Amino acid sequence: MKRRTFLKATSLAAAALAAPGIVRAGAEKKLRIGTITPGSHFWTQTMDRVGVSLAEKSGGKFETQVFPSGQVGNEATMIQQIQSGGLDMGFLTVAEFSNRLDDMAALFTPYLVPDVSQASRLLTGPTATGMLEQYSSLGMKGLGFGLGGMRHLISREAGLTSADLAGRKYRITPFAPLRDFYELMDVAPTPVPLPGLFDALANGQVDGADIDLELAWKLKLYDQAPNLTITSQMMFPVVAVVSGRYWAALSDSEKQMLSESVAEQIDWLFAQYVEFEPKWLNDLKGTGINVAEAAPDFFGDTVTKWNGIWEAKAPSIAALRAEAKELT
Ligand code: BEZ
């Protein structure tokens, strides 16, 4: 199993590399973090940076190991491991948690924010920060929400309107709020794990995908689905959670170091998306694929129907909407 280990990233780290035994003996706390994303993805890099930051802040007391690409299991398994103490921390999709905490669906409310810049502000605002407390009901401490890109549609066929989507198969990340969104359009939502998505588009297993610009670019999905509709219908948040047992065993100053490291590196993550989203869009346009922009009415009455289902199940929708309005 591959692991990425971080010691204090200063002269002490240099000494550690030369004589690892010396610093490893000094590292009193191990922190094992799991993510589903590969090493090249910004989420994994954020956790790599938490490891470096924590080693620096603690003078080498914390030794962090990041397990990317679901090496310690899929997200459902990682959640179980965090609950049992088998894994200390996760940087996991809020999508997976929305299968356990209905109110997390509020963060997928269609057209809550228009772009990653406002999404970053909403995810660090009072409502989202308050929602972190719900993770205690799962035996975890929620440390902070981060972000993936806004969601769009990529399709094999050109010139599709939302009416044309009916009867087609679109890849989704499997979680109830998104499944509902596609089913309301009579689209067959088809769960395909990210590593299999390029092939699923190539062999017609799916007609298109609900995706962000980072994945459309980095997984080269444009080769098989050369039609991108910029819809920006939802955010795709990620959450840093630490096992309740692990958290309880930390001293106050250790809790502060961990919280600060996570908050600082999530700020770095937000900055990456704000910088890179326009670049990925330019890169995608540069491949010669068809890129069209679509306003919310592209989805017809789907958004209204979605709100009708989820406003009752996810009470934070109202507060998030009110806060989002103030961001403009
Ligand atoms: C997705 O399922 O689309 C996804 C998963 C992890 C990170 C970003 C996107």
Side-chain angles (χ1 to χ4, degrees), residues 175-220:
F175 64 107
L178 193 61
R179 201 177 299 123
D180 281 354
F181 190 81
Y182 280 85
E183 282 178 350
L184 286 168
M185 291 189 284
D186 290 327
V187 174
T190 311
V192 178
L194 287 177
L197 184 51
F198 183 93
D199 288 345
L201 285 165
N203 64 29
Q205 183 194 340
V206 288
D207 299 300
D210 180 286
I211 206 70
D212 61 37
L213 297 177
E214 178 174 24
L215 293 168
W217 176 246
K218 290 184 178 169
L219 299 181
K220 297 188 168 49

Side-chain angles (χ1 to χ4, degrees), residues 36-37 41 43 93 151 171 173 194 210-212 215 236:
I36 198 72
T37 48
H41 195 278
W43 291 4
T93 63
R151 303 301 282 199
R171 178 268 170 179
T173 315
L194 287 177
D210 180 286
I211 206 70
D212 61 37
L215 293 168
F236 198 77

Side-chain angles (χ1 to χ4, degrees), residues 80-328:
Q80 280 170 0
Q81 288 176 340
I82 293 168
Q83 287 175 317
S84 68
L87 184 64
D88 305 317
M89 185 168 156
F91 202 44
L92 304 174
T93 63
V94 176
E96 184 63 36
F97 281 107
S98 75
N99 293 326
R100 293 160 184 78
L101 298 169
D102 273 355
D103 194 40
M104 291 301 139
L107 296 171
F108 299 97
T109 303
Y111 296 106
L112 197 51
V113 288
D115 55 34
V116 285
S117 174
Q118 286 192 28
S120 309
R121 290 163 63 199
L122 191 64
L123 289 166
T124 47
T127 306
T129 304
M131 289 171 74
L132 288 171
E133 281 165 27
Q134 296 178 34
Y135 288 86
S136 64
S137 70
L138 300 176
M140 301 176 190
K141 167 79 181 165
L143 291 178
F145 289 113
L147 184 66
M150 300 301 290
R151 303 301 282 199
H152 312 287
L153 293 181
I154 197 161
S155 311
R156 281 158 49 100
E157 265 188 60
L160 295 182
T161 66
S162 60
D164 300 324
L165 298 181
R168 294 174 194 263
K169 285 178 282 176
Y170 269 68
R171 178 268 170 179
I172 62 153
T173 315
F175 64 107
L178 193 61
R179 201 177 299 123
D180 281 354
F181 190 81
Y182 280 85
E183 282 178 350
L184 286 168
M185 291 189 284
D186 290 327
V187 174
T190 311
V192 178
L194 287 177
L197 184 51
F198 183 93
D199 288 345
L201 285 165
N203 64 29
Q205 183 194 340
V206 288
D207 299 300
D210 180 286
I211 206 70
D212 61 37
L213 297 177
E214 178 174 24
L215 293 168
W217 176 246
K218 290 184 178 169
L219 299 181
K220 297 188 168 49
L221 302 183
Y222 51 84
D223 272 350
Q224 301 303 333
N227 303 286
L228 175 65
T229 311
I230 299 295
T231 42
S232 302
Q233 74 272 24
M234 283 179 200
M235 312 189 277
F236 198 77
V238 57
V239 63
V241 285
V242 68
S243 140
R245 281 192 218 175
Y246 188 90
W247 183 253
L250 295 179
S251 68
D252 285 350
S253 69
E254 289 165 345
K255 285 178 180 164
Q256 192 179 344
M257 283 188 272
L258 180 54
S259 300
E260 280 176 8
S261 292
V262 168
E264 287 162 11
Q265 299 315 319
I266 283 181
D267 278 350
W268 174 85
L269 176 67
F270 289 143
Q272 302 317 300
Y273 282 107
V274 170
E275 179 183 346
F276 277 88
E277 285 248 319
K279 288 187 184 166
W280 289 321
L281 184 54
N282 259 342
D283 290 340
L284 286 160
K285 285 180 176 167
T287 65
I289 64 169
N290 300 313
V291 180
E293 305 241 345
D297 62 7
F298 175 84
F299 292 110
D301 59 2
T302 299
V303 174
T304 310
K305 287 182 180 163
W306 188 96
N307 289 336
I309 299 171
W310 283 96
E311 276 168 4
K313 294 195 205 177
S316 293
I317 289 177
L320 284 170
R321 278 211 188 106
E323 211 180 304
K325 249 191 206 164
E326 299 301 313
L327 299 176
T328 52

